[in-house]
Amino acid sequence: MDRRKFVAGAGSVVGTSMIGMPALAQAKSKIRVGYLHTLAVDEQIWLSDHLGSWARNGLDPQFKEFKTGLELFKAMSENSIDMLATGAVISNFPARGQDKMFLANSIEFATAQLWVREDMGVKEFADLRGKRVATTAGTTAHVFLDNALRENKMTGADIDLASMPMPDAVNSFIAGNVPAVVLWVPFNIAVREKVPQAKKLLDAGVFYPSAAVVGGWAASNAFYAANKPILARIVKAWIEGNDMLIARTNESLGILHNNYYPQVPERDIREQFGAMRVFPTAVWRRLYSNGTIIEWLQQVTDFYTRVAKIENPVSAAQYFDPSVFLSVVKQ
């Protein structure tokens, strides 16, 4: 799918920093940020960009697009980025002791979807038994598939799982090489357009909130340990984009479509937004404070521990630090 790459500039927004000095009078902190170009991951990034929030908070972000969360964490392990924004994989590598999560971004309510081809013998979930199912292992889609299998009294051993990059998985389904694909939006658009007879059998919304998938931001251990004030400024800039998304949703989705997702029809942008959950800042604070975010993260970490066989996993309560957000949002 065509994806717009963002080239960040230093910007020229005149504003006031957190300590009261004009933002332009200060040297902006450069941050190298990897991201997935899917609405559930980068919507606040681009709205904060539109508002000039990054520069106003003394930040000069260098954004780099990646195709999967696995690639993102690999890049961070190689020190080519300082931090990242991603989906379900946020519950994987931090649980291995790599990196620290500091910001929740959205809940992937129904972004993961199971599409099947009835012309290849799959009309209901039980028909998947013994069939080849394409997806990208270790991602949001795989988490959803695991939940769906267990809900239907099946396991991964009951299907022939074909793991490949998501564009390849979708193309394989479109070409008729596999009868089922588990994807995440916006890859459903290509399926719907090119295989009109394809059927969306299930989406992750049926498992919400018992199997909610949290997306968010993580920083490398070294960056996290040395740069808490910068992380707080990132949170503050992010909040401006999040507040705009909540308060002026229609305007926000139009801006995202026109400026950052020009190749995606606006109706599909709105469909993607309907497949995720975001909250007002005050609600995010409550979810941070009452342990809900940790509980949701741990559910997905348990999946990775079981499927990827993580030894001695770090708990979500240890790899997720809510204090950065709570230091910015005090009530």
Side-chain angles (χ1 to χ4, degrees):
M1 300 191 68
D2 292 330
R3 291 188 169 192
R4 182 182 185 276
K5 295 234 179 213
F6 177 79
V7 180
S12 58
V13 179
V14 178
T16 301
S17 75
M18 294 180 69
I19 59 174
M21 295 176 62
L24 287 179
Q26 302 176 40
K28 294 184 178 65
S29 300
K30 286 192 175 182
I31 51 173
R32 301 172 300 165
V33 185
Y35 71 97
L36 302 182
H37 194 34
T38 182
L39 198 67
V41 171
D42 66 0
E43 72 278 28
Q44 291 100 336
I45 287 176
W46 306 131
L47 291 175
S48 295
D49 170 65
H50 172 78
L51 294 168
S53 306
W54 302 112
R56 186 160 50 251
N57 285 281
L59 299 167
D60 178 12
Q62 312 296 309
F63 292 108
K64 184 176 181 181
E65 181 189 338
F66 290 79
K67 299 302 182 185
T68 69
L70 304 176
E71 294 173 7
L72 279 165
F73 276 99
K74 182 175 185 292
M76 196 150 69
S77 72
E78 296 170 347
N79 196 36
S80 63
I81 56 176
D82 302 310
M83 64 193 68
L84 55 82
T86 190
V89 187
I90 203 78
S91 296
N92 183 349
F93 292 96
R96 301 171 189 263
Q98 302 174 34
D99 319 307
K100 197 83 168 179
M101 180 181 172
F102 66 95
L103 177 63
N105 203 58
S106 69
I107 310 301
E108 299 198 39
F109 169 70
T111 57
Q113 302 176 354
L114 167 63
W115 287 78
V116 301
R117 296 183 62 131
E118 294 183 317
D119 59 339
M120 295 182 69
V122 180
K123 296 184 178 181
E124 56 187 41
F125 199 93
D127 295 332
L128 291 176
R129 195 177 295 274
K131 297 290 199 307
R132 197 161 175 79
V133 181
T135 193
T136 307
T139 63
T140 298
H142 193 189
V143 175
F144 158 60
L145 174 60
D146 181 71
N147 285 323
L149 286 168
R150 288 188 291 120
E151 183 70 20
N152 285 273
K153 307 297 188 293
M154 295 166 65
T155 71
D158 293 311
I159 62 171
D160 179 10
L161 181 66
S163 178
M164 60 191 80
M166 190 55 71
D168 297 342
V170 171
N171 287 336
S172 184
F173 180 78
I174 290 171
N177 296 328
V178 295
V181 63
V182 183
L183 51 75
W184 59 76
V185 296
F187 285 99
N188 60 316
I189 298 169
V191 168
R192 193 168 54 209
E193 291 179 349
K194 296 181 180 180
V195 192
Q197 73 272 26
K199 176 183 177 181
K200 186 179 82 168
L201 198 60
L202 199 63
D203 66 46
V206 298
F207 305 123
Y208 181 85
S210 62
V213 174
V214 179
W217 290 57
S220 69
N221 284 331
F223 192 95
Y224 166 83
N227 294 283
K228 295 285 184 63
I230 290 178
L231 297 181
R233 282 149 55 196
I234 290 167
V235 169
K236 188 175 182 184
W238 177 93
I239 285 171
E240 293 186 35
N242 188 73
D243 287 349
M244 179 180 182
L245 182 61
I246 295 296
R248 293 143 54 197
T249 301
N250 285 335
E251 178 188 354
S252 296
L253 295 179
I255 289 167
L256 289 166
H257 164 64
N258 293 330
N259 298 342
Y260 303 102
Y261 281 85
Q263 303 298 328
V264 181
E266 188 167 358
R267 70 178 185 277
D268 293 321
I269 290 289
R270 295 182 183 280
E271 181 179 328
Q272 287 184 50
F273 182 72
M276 51 188 267
R277 292 290 180 267
V278 291
F279 306 108
T281 299
V283 175
W284 278 121
R285 188 187 193 287
R286 187 177 75 242
L287 296 172
Y288 277 66
S289 300
N290 66 13
T292 299
I293 298 295
I294 289 174
E295 179 184 337
W296 286 344
L297 289 168
Q298 188 62 49
Q299 291 172 164
V300 183
T301 291
D302 290 343
F303 158 80
Y304 285 115
T305 300
R306 185 177 68 254
V307 173
K309 297 179 171 58
I310 301 175
E311 294 185 9
N312 302 314
V314 176
S315 71
Q318 293 173 288
Y319 70 67
F320 173 54
D321 179 9
S323 70
V324 178
F325 185 90
L326 295 176
S327 73
V328 174
V329 185
K330 299 185 182 299
Q331 62 179 10

